[in-house]
Amino acid sequence: RRGFLWIASSEGLFRFDGLRARRYPLPDGAGALHDLQIDREDGLWIAHDTGLAYWDARADRIHAARCAVLAG
């Protein structure tokens, strides 16, 4: 919705705004990127080898996502 093109590569995650590309560091040990999904708040969910990360549009930075799994 903001007009960004997100590019995942072996060099990391990049956001292209039409003029320049910005590289975003991922959490240590993230490994390869597998999937990118935008949520309703324009945040970007990033699936990687060791879990999930989240780009917070308001803070303009990537955080390691903390997930709890409930045993049934």
Side-chain angles (χ1 to χ4, degrees), residues 1 3 18 24 29-30 36 41 45 47 51 56 59 62-63 68 71:
R1 288 182 272 209
Y24 285 85
L36 304 172
E41 283 96 38
W45 290 93
D56 182 343
I62 293 178
H63 308 273

Side-chain angles (χ1 to χ4, degrees), residues 12-66:
L13 183 65
F14 295 83
R15 183 187 76 188
F16 182 66
D17 65 7
L19 297 174
R20 24 186 117 85
R22 176 177 173 190
R23 183 176 181 273
Y24 285 85
L26 294 174
D28 289 338
L33 302 178
H34 298 283
D35 195 17
L36 304 172
Q37 294 290 322
I38 299 283
D39 67 17
R40 291 183 184 150
E41 283 96 38
D42 287 335
L44 179 71
W45 290 93
I46 304 141
H48 54 79
D49 278 347
T50 59
L52 288 172
Y54 181 74
W55 173 73
D56 182 343
R58 292 183 193 131
D60 191 27
R61 62 177 259 198
I62 293 178
H63 308 273
R66 305 204 188 280

